[in-house]
Amino acid sequence: MWRSLWRSIDRFSLQHFKSVITELRQIKVVNAQNRDTVVDLLQTIVEIVTYGDRQDPLIFECFMEYQVLAEFVRVLKISTSSTIEAPLLQYLSIMIQNMDSEHAIYYCLSNDYVNNIVAHPYNFDAGDLALYYVSFLRAVSSKISRDTLCLLVKVHGDVVVSFPMYTEALKFAQHEEKMIQTAIRALTLNIYNICDNNVYQFITTPPASIYFSDLVSSLRKQCLQLDALVNSSEDKCTHQRNKDIFLKTDKIVDDLFYFKDMLSVGESRLSRVVTQNLLSLLILPLLLPLLKLGENKGSYNISAVTSLYIVSRLLQVVGGKHLINGVAGLLLYHYMALCQRDAIATNGDIAGSIGDASPLLHSLNDINIKVSDHEAEGEKEININYLLQHLNVQTSSNSHFDGSPKDDNVYIERFGIFAYLFSDNHSISLASLFLLLTLAENKDLEHFPASLLGMSQSQGLMNNCESAFLKVDGSILVGLMPQILKTLLKVLACQPPVSPPMQWHTGWFLRKLLQCQGNKLTDDNIHLFNTSYEQSRECLQKELDGCWFDHIPDTIGHEWGSCKKALELQFHVKDPLFTLELEICQQAIDGNFNSCFAWERMVDAVKVFILHLQLKALIFMGCLLEKPSLESPSDSDLGKTYSRDISSASFGSEVSLGSGIPCRIAFSYAGVRDIYLVALARGISGKLILAEKHPFRSQRGIVIAIAPLAGLSQPRIDEDHPTWLHLQIREFEPNFVKAKGRESKVSTPPADGRWTLGFHSAKACETARLLILEETCKQRSSVESMLAPLLREDYLVNVLDRQGD
């Protein structure tokens, strides 16, 4: 043991370190024959230096005296093969990452050692060398400070003319390997957080500043790809398209968070160059089509719903006063122009007017917008001032309105963001409303017209806004709130019905806006809601005749909490991705009967009814409901031994044959077998059992098959063979879908099972059919009794009475 310990100590001794350095210096060329030896020497040096940095200062003094880093640079230069480069960079990364001494770090960054290693002509075409190289750059960036940054740049006078580590790193910014991209972004953020004025001047001016425009251009390309997925005409299942869209948006959001991190550094020059590139290359080209200027300027052929999603997500994630106020100024230009006109007419002065768009548009001064030029098949620039002139012309062209609120409302609905808000396309309508709420909720928004969404400037829309909307006198948009609510209610009442996800998201918007209205609706809107509520209740009642009626109570319990959670979701965590999912979910429903599709239809009906019941409670009670307690009907008269025996039956267990009807069934693997058919409903559960007679107990049977009674659909007697009874058995297992959560739709559902039973006479066959129907009817009646209180018109009244008690 002592010898082993001594060898370990000797390995990290100063004498051993010197001998390793000497051996490395004797290497004159690195080739395939000595490559492994050199790698071992490099590894040993790094291990000893790392140890010495913490334990033995003499070792690091030797490291500096012998200029070991210069030996690393020399090894790179004398290598005839690139195979030495990856391990050398790896060991250097490990050494730098583990250095704690400021003195050691300062030495490693001095004398151009790092710059020489960075500038070496590597061949990145093969292997993982790029990953090791970038890891080395990141390791160095994590150790630099304001005091050591100067060691890595080259200056002429007071001007930084070269920053090799930064510029070489940027060459990998768009690398296909995600790990490398992440490392480069970490490196740049490390640098941005410790830059001095001279380095910032280098970073934010060409050619180095091209990095930021390239980043935004890459993001714009991803947005185009996203839009292509959303609007794809290929016959692709919804599940797969949703998956592809989710992956693409995930990449886009990653980029947005990177921009946010850059702005969070808080350096004015960095913020300005990032913001201007986002505005000129991405945001403004996306907004131009939304302004409806009468000509297609710079649309990049991105659909409205995708544009609305991208702008909303960008404002959510990146934010910033310049971006928020610039977007608000453009989108609300028409509305604010009318506010300004009213202020002039009333006061003769626009100073301080809520309609003055100048403060919002200040951040856009003299920005050039890069847009597509279809004639030249390239890009051209449009100055923001040219765009604003078009907006002024459009607003002035509608000056024939007499200024009445009615005319103003008609005008607002026709132009800009409001034309999309009142669109017949529900996805676009919800996406537009989400963008408006995003602006209204952002703390960086200045001079926002409080009357726009019925809120005071000092309060957020979602934060106890009460009825501030109704308190703003003379607002052009006060009259628009009922129309906005009506637009949302029309989505709920749409025939044929829109998808449950669409309705849930619509319900979320309704709850937010109703909070600002004091939960009040106009008489017309109340009538529209009541119509929608009745439709939802009728759809649920129809499911009591379906093959999944026995699962309705459990489904209500399962979905109730999900619906309440969805309605109460805080705005700042709601992802506008739902607008894209809704855009592609309107697909034709397969008309073929299948228990899987029937299950989805039943769950959808439950979701929609719960939503309407919650909204009804919000409108008339001012709050959402807690999950109801659905009481099972008393089954005291069903508690006989026979009933318990059947209800607890499982495959292979013994059951009483009781009133079982003898019949025969043919199995592909077991031939024809004599069995008994036993059907029994107990409360809300019911089973159809096939049992073979027990070999020793005449009144008992062995269960060989079980089917849910509710899932038998309509038992049918064969037209040509009146002793044959055909049964369709539901094979789909709903617990599987519940476990999958988000992916609630099954793309390839299992086929339903089919049984054909043979009876000794047509009368016995008819008796079996009637028995199945009778027991199914009993089971259905129990479910109806359980749901009856929930489906009654006075359910909310009863809830209030119970609360009063």
Side-chain angles (χ1 to χ4, degrees), residues 441-499:
E441 275 293 289
N442 199 287
K443 66 182 185 299
D444 290 325
L445 184 62
E446 301 171 343
H447 309 287
F448 185 75
S451 58
L452 178 62
L453 290 173
M455 53 186 285
S456 66
Q457 185 64 33
S458 61
Q459 64 188 170
L461 180 63
M462 311 309 169
N463 299 324
N464 193 29
C465 63
E466 303 173 340
S467 57
F469 181 89
L470 303 176
K471 299 176 183 177
V472 183
D473 297 329
S475 169
I476 294 174
L477 285 184
V478 166
L480 277 184
M481 183 56 83
Q483 287 141 277
I484 295 174
L485 292 172
K486 185 176 183 178
T487 298
L488 295 174
L489 290 170
K490 281 183 176 180
V491 177
L492 298 183
C494 183
Q495 289 295 325
V498 298
S499 67

Side-chain angles (χ1 to χ4, degrees), residues 637-658:
D637 59 335
L638 297 172
K640 301 176 183 179
T641 302
Y642 174 70
S643 298
R644 291 197 301 269
D645 191 20
I646 298 300
S647 63
S648 62
S650 60
F651 182 80
S653 64
E654 287 188 26
V655 295
S656 173
L657 295 180

Side-chain angles (χ1 to χ4, degrees), residues 537-564:
R537 187 171 67 166
E538 290 173 4
C539 285
L540 182 58
Q541 288 174 326
K542 287 180 181 178
E543 290 304 317
L544 290 171
D545 294 325
C547 69
W548 289 99
F549 70 81
D550 55 329
H551 277 258
I552 291 179
D554 285 342
T555 304
I556 289 176
H558 181 265
E559 297 294 340
W560 193 281
S562 299
C563 180
K564 191 169 184 290

Side-chain angles (χ1 to χ4, degrees), residues 654-658 660 676 691-702:
E654 287 188 26
V655 295
S656 173
L657 295 180
Y676 284 79
E692 283 187 315
K693 192 172 182 179
H694 197 285
F696 306 113
R697 306 173 67 182
S698 60
Q699 296 302 313
R700 306 289 289 176
I702 306 297

Side-chain angles (χ1 to χ4, degrees), residues 617 621-626 795-805:
M621 295 173 55
C623 63
L624 298 179
L625 300 172
E626 296 300 326
Y795 176 72
L796 295 183
V797 176
N798 294 333
V799 171
L800 287 173
D801 290 342
R802 288 196 298 270
Q803 290 177 349
D805 295 340

Side-chain angles (χ1 to χ4, degrees), residues 737-780:
V737 175
K738 291 180 182 178
K740 291 181 71 176
R742 179 185 178 96
E743 301 173 7
S744 60
K745 303 294 184 182
V746 179
S747 56
T748 55
D752 288 334
R754 298 185 182 277
W755 293 353
T756 298
L757 305 178
F759 296 84
H760 62 83
S761 68
K763 182 178 180 180
C765 186
E766 176 65 12
T767 300
R769 188 183 74 87
L770 294 176
L771 174 64
I772 292 173
L773 293 177
E774 179 183 357
E775 294 299 318
T776 303
C777 185
K778 289 179 184 179
Q779 183 184 5
R780 182 179 291 108

Side-chain angles (χ1 to χ4, degrees), residues 586-622:
Q586 306 301 315
Q587 296 188 347
I589 299 175
D590 193 335
N592 297 326
F593 176 80
N594 182 286
S595 61
C596 175
F597 295 125
W599 163 263
E600 293 175 354
R601 187 187 62 226
M602 183 275 290
V603 172
D604 288 349
V606 169
K607 287 182 175 180
V608 172
F609 175 74
I610 293 174
L611 170 68
H612 281 79
L613 191 58
Q614 290 285 27
L615 290 177
K616 187 175 182 179
L618 182 66
I619 293 169
F620 297 107
M621 295 173 55

